Amino acid sequence: MGCVNSVEDKKAAGTLSQTGQSGGWQADAAAAVAQVLGPGAAAHIEIAVKCRGLPDRDVLSKSDAMAVLFASDGYKSERWSEVGRTDTVANSLTPEFRKPLRATYQFEKLQPMKLVVYDVDTREKDNRKLKLGEQDFLGEGRFLLSDLLTAPGQALTLPLADAHGRVLPGCVAQLSAEELPNTNAVVHMTLAGVKLDNKDTFGKSDPFLQIAKARENGMWVPVLKTEVIDNNLNPQWKPFRASMAQLCNCDEHRPLKIEVFDHDATGEHDLIGTCETSLSALQAAAASGQPLVLINPKKRSQPGYAHSGTLVVRALSVVPRPSFLEYIQVEAGCLCKRGVARRLSAACGTRLAETPSSQHRSCTAWLPPDGYFDRHATMHLCPTLAQGGVELSFIVAVDYTGSNGDPRNPQSLHYYSQQPTMYEEAISAVGRVLEHYDTDKRFPAYGFGAALPPSGATSHCFALNFNPANPEVAGVQGILQAYRNTLSQVKLSGPTLFAPIISAASQIASQPAAHPKYYVLLILTDGCIMDMANTLSAVVEASNLPLSLLIVGVGNEDFAAMEALDGDKKRIRAPDGRVAARDCVQFCELRPNQRDTVEGLAAKLLAELPGQVVEYFHDMRRMPPPPRQTLAAPAAAPMSSAPPAATAAPEAYPQPAVAAAAGAYPQPAVAAPPNASVAQPFPTAYPTI
């Protein structure tokens, strides 16, 4: 559930917790998921840049172009920090830069970017030493990094504007993004100890092992540790897994240190022995069967000391794992600004045609307040033509219980005034991020805990537009408008029940769709829930669906009871004993004194969502990522503006509650056998995730 950290084992990101006493390792498996998913959704992106139609600022030759990428501090900010620079292409108005730009993509944040092209007037071997104030400005364009990554083929044609924001005719930058490879591979490993030293006077050692990786500064950082095996000098630990990024920063030669300890209940564990190795060395040991020697530094100088036992790599495999970006990529689309469709030409759009069409007048993609991007002709994916990637569909549920206070009272969390309420701020912060990944931008919006007209009966799940047959509203602005309209028509009541809302979202998520969808339910509440047993059952049901639950506790109430929904430490269990298939709940608090950091709240809430999407579709074998589409490289000559041929609509994508996925991704079994082989592409020796 994410915003609450475990105490000891999570000092190392993604650590297996101790299960030696409980033995319930499958229920405690969520820590293993953290090893694979890693923190947040950061991905390293490489952006290739080429320009067309640049202004000529040189008298006797053509401009010597260099592109610089800047990132904004926030979607409302005009403070920009430099991200990177390309090389300089001399004497060219159509430069194709050899050196790409690199940026870090974070799903949970809006990332406004600015590309500025300069004419370099001074000479430096290293462009990083150039003072930008001494170079001639040629043009700039602004975009959201998420727009680039969800554009067809992850390619975007960006009109460039002059210093006054006026679009320069025929002057564009063509951006092409690609996620840097090998950041999502997963290492599956099984280790065993042989003839370990005995550290106990009565009985035998209770060994566990810990793996740490070396940083560039020489420090060792703990990565993971295994369970304790009681009273055993020849233990074989349960198979474990970790992402390559977490284990060794995707460097198979990075030093790793394996330490084997004798567990002590007081926490003062005795070191049995240690060895230094690397992922490549572990792979070689697995292939050859050669054991790794464990040395105890305190015994090294003792006469006749050889070692304190050995480690054997029983199995080791590195399995590629799709990234979140691979799932959300799209294969066809159009670029448009508000109601005007800008279709890409057959070769990816050196020249764009503006063709107003009633088909596209419903395109209401998000633009930040105050016309943030209006001057710079930012383009985005039009929902009418987007196909291929997984959509993220946003669902909102707002607490209308009486504990919020009378909306006419300034102390109420629903106080009706010109200023946004805390509920509105949270909806806006999360919605601004999510709506970029929803093609039609129509969101179901619900309320709960209110007495509805005309009967005055309390409803624990009602549509904010009072249309239960179609609870969708248009965009985040539509949610906010419906929220305000509802406040003036209902009476706050109670109690606070979550199960009806979660069940309604689960029903939506189980319906067949034209193409794959993943749903995100945002629940905003001011108090602890009164139906915990039913809510736990609803969450267990939801864990098998393409659905994540984001819960925001608004106000000053004590939300400690929400810990029962925490799936980080162990899997959520329903009262009837059923265990959640995965962790799909995230909870954060929004206190009145934290309103200035509402964007940080959204980042915390959304940080685990990309991993949950991949976990559902890939790890639970629902669906492989769509094949990556490549578009033809744009030619230098002007091209036809004719629209591309129409694409046949895809067949309905069956969600798990409706039909089982076919082919290589069958529906998973309810429980995985604890002794299955580690070498399988989808090993079942690990916790079911």
Side-chain angles (χ1 to χ4, degrees):
M1 202 167 77
C3 288
V4 183
N5 295 321
S6 57
V7 181
E8 178 184 355
D9 289 337
K10 288 193 178 179
K11 289 180 180 178
T15 298
L16 281 175
S17 59
Q18 296 292 54
T19 58
Q21 296 179 352
S22 67
W25 89 288
Q26 286 201 356
D28 192 46
V33 177
Q35 294 175 5
V36 182
L37 303 184
H44 299 292
I45 305 300
E46 189 173 82
I47 304 173
V49 182
K50 61 177 71 173
C51 296
R52 298 289 181 267
L54 292 179
D56 192 357
R57 294 287 185 260
D58 292 345
V59 178
L60 301 178
S61 62
K62 297 178 181 178
S63 296
D64 302 328
M66 174 186 70
V68 182
L69 185 65
F70 296 87
S72 173
D73 291 347
Y75 83 97
K76 292 182 178 179
S77 174
E78 279 291 340
R79 294 178 298 180
W80 299 88
S81 57
E82 184 176 327
V83 175
R85 306 181 182 188
T86 66
D87 55 310
T88 299
V89 177
N91 198 31
S92 176
L93 303 183
T94 59
E96 184 169 342
F97 300 102
R98 176 177 50 82
K99 179 184 176 183
L101 298 166
R102 290 192 175 183
T104 300
Y105 163 74
Q106 293 176 284
F107 163 80
E108 66 270 23
K109 297 180 180 179
L110 285 175
Q111 293 179 276
M113 313 296 285
K114 178 170 67 173
L115 184 79
V116 183
V117 184
Y118 294 91
D119 175 22
V120 176
D121 288 333
T122 56
R123 291 292 176 263
E124 289 282 358
K125 291 183 178 180
D126 186 348
N127 275 3
R128 292 175 296 180
K129 297 180 180 179
L130 291 172
K131 296 181 179 180
L132 297 182
E134 297 177 358
Q135 319 308 319
D136 292 331
F137 174 91
L138 294 180
E140 72 170 45
R142 302 189 185 190
F143 63 99
L144 291 176
L145 190 55
S146 57
D147 282 348
L148 172 59
L149 296 174
T150 56
Q154 296 183 319
L156 186 67
T157 299
L158 187 68
L160 299 182
D162 63 18
H164 302 287
R166 297 172 299 204
V167 175
L168 297 168
C171 181
V172 297
Q174 294 173 332
L175 312 181
S176 176
E178 183 176 359
E179 185 178 3
L180 293 178
N182 205 31
T183 58
N184 294 285
V186 180
V187 179
H188 304 263
M189 196 179 334
T190 304
L191 296 176
V194 177
K195 296 182 179 179
L196 301 180
D197 280 356
N198 191 6
K199 293 291 185 179
D200 291 347
T201 304
F202 303 102
K204 300 177 182 178
S205 296
D206 307 318
F208 70 92
L209 69 78
Q210 177 174 286
I211 300 179
K213 65 181 175 184
R215 281 192 170 164
E216 299 293 341
N217 59 9
M219 292 180 60
W220 292 101
V221 180
V223 176
L224 57 86
K225 69 181 178 187
T226 66
E227 79 282 6
V228 174
I229 297 182
D230 293 332
N231 202 35
N232 196 327
L233 301 183
N234 296 281
Q236 177 166 312
W237 291 280
K238 287 169 181 170
F240 57 86
R241 58 182 176 176
S243 68
M244 272 194 70
Q246 179 219 347
L247 181 65
C248 59
N249 289 31
C250 299
D251 177 4
E252 62 180 8
H253 301 293
R254 180 177 288 260
L256 301 175
K257 181 168 66 174
I258 302 178
E259 297 172 298
V260 180
F261 293 90
D262 173 30
H263 178 265
D264 193 310
T266 65
E268 297 179 358
H269 310 308
D270 296 322
L271 177 67
I272 294 176
T274 182
C275 66
E276 290 192 22
T277 182
S278 65
L279 178 58
S280 60
L282 289 170
Q283 289 174 307
S288 66
Q290 185 70 25
L292 305 174
V293 176
L294 295 171
I295 300 296
N296 189 321
K298 294 181 179 179
K299 292 186 175 183
R300 189 190 299 269
S301 60
Q302 294 179 2
Y305 176 74
H307 56 74
S308 294
T310 59
L311 280 180
V312 177
V313 185
R314 298 290 190 205
L316 192 152
S317 61
V318 180
V319 180
R321 187 173 191 268
S323 71
F324 173 69
L325 290 178
E326 289 179 83
Y327 274 104
I328 66 169
Q329 66 174 341
V330 293
E331 63 185 28
C334 76
L335 297 175
C336 54
K337 189 171 189 296
R338 300 247 161 120
V340 178
R342 293 172 175 259
R343 289 180 178 266
L344 288 176
S345 62
C348 193
T350 293
R351 193 175 61 182
L352 295 172
E354 295 187 5
T355 54
S357 166
S358 60
Q359 181 185 14
H360 297 280
R361 285 174 186 155
S362 63
C363 180
T364 56
W366 175 85
L367 290 174
D370 304 321
Y372 182 83
F373 288 110
D374 284 353
R375 300 191 314 274
H376 304 280
T378 296
M379 294 180 291
H380 54 270
L381 187 66
C382 175
T384 310
L385 299 180
Q387 295 175 5
V390 172
E391 277 188 54
L392 298 185
S393 191
F394 188 30
I395 306 172
V396 173
V398 180
D399 185 339
Y400 284 84
T401 57
S403 54
N404 284 280
D406 188 334
R408 295 167 296 183
N409 187 329
Q411 303 304 314
S412 171
L413 295 172
H414 287 310
Y415 178 54
Y416 202 95
S417 70
Q418 297 300 317
Q419 299 300 317
T421 67
M422 294 176 68
Y423 284 93
E424 290 174 303
E425 289 179 340
I427 291 170
S428 297
V430 175
R432 275 193 298 264
V433 175
L434 288 178
E435 72 174 347
H436 279 276
Y437 303 90
D438 188 301
T439 54
D440 66 3
K441 294 175 173 44
R442 297 193 62 82
F443 311 126
Y446 295 97
F448 58 94
L452 305 185
S455 66
T458 299
S459 173
H460 301 292
C461 180
F462 62 91
L464 291 189
N465 62 4
F466 299 105
N467 183 1
N470 183 15
E472 293 184 342
V473 297
V476 173
Q477 194 60 40
I479 297 174
L480 300 177
Q481 183 177 350
Y483 161 76
R484 289 239 163 179
N485 291 341
T486 305
L487 277 178
S488 62
Q489 300 183 57
V490 304
K491 180 180 179 181
L492 305 190
S493 182
T496 303
L497 307 181
F498 276 13
I501 285 291
I502 297 174
S503 297
S506 295
Q507 185 176 2
I508 294 173
S510 66
Q511 299 303 310
H515 56 275
K517 287 190 175 185
Y518 191 93
Y519 295 84
V520 182
L521 170 62
L522 174 65
I523 301 176
L524 301 111
T525 182
D526 80 316
C528 288
I529 56 181
M530 304 299 180
D531 62 340
M532 181 60 75
N534 290 337
T535 295
L536 290 172
S537 295
V539 169
V540 170
E541 293 286 347
S543 69
N544 288 291
L545 296 170
L547 175 65
S548 286
L549 313 178
L550 310 180
I551 304 174
V552 178
V554 179
N556 289 315
E557 287 295 320
D558 181 5
F559 295 104
M562 293 293 186
E563 290 287 335
L565 300 177
D566 185 354
D568 279 347
K569 300 174 185 177
K570 61 181 180 179
R571 291 285 168 82
I572 294 174
R573 187 181 294 272
D576 60 6
R578 291 174 300 139
V579 178
R582 60 194 177 97
D583 176 25
C584 63
V585 181
Q586 180 87 335
F587 172 77
C588 284
E589 299 176 5
L590 179 60
R591 302 295 188 182
N593 59 356
Q594 296 176 328
R595 298 183 70 166
D596 292 340
T597 61
V598 69
E599 287 186 49
L601 166 80
K604 289 180 181 179
L605 276 174
L606 296 169
E608 292 184 5
L609 184 59
Q612 292 175 357
V613 172
V614 176
E615 183 183 0
Y616 174 80
F617 284 112
H618 178 72
D619 297 351
M620 295 179 68
R621 310 186 197 183
R622 304 292 189 185
M623 186 189 78
R628 184 170 295 279
Q629 303 293 322
T630 56
L631 302 183
M639 291 175 288
S640 169
S641 59
T647 304
E651 296 181 0
Y653 172 73
Q655 299 293 13
V658 178
Y665 282 70
Q667 293 292 85
V670 174
N675 56 353
S677 170
V678 70
Q680 298 177 18
F682 289 91
T684 54
Y686 312 105
T688 304
I689 61 174

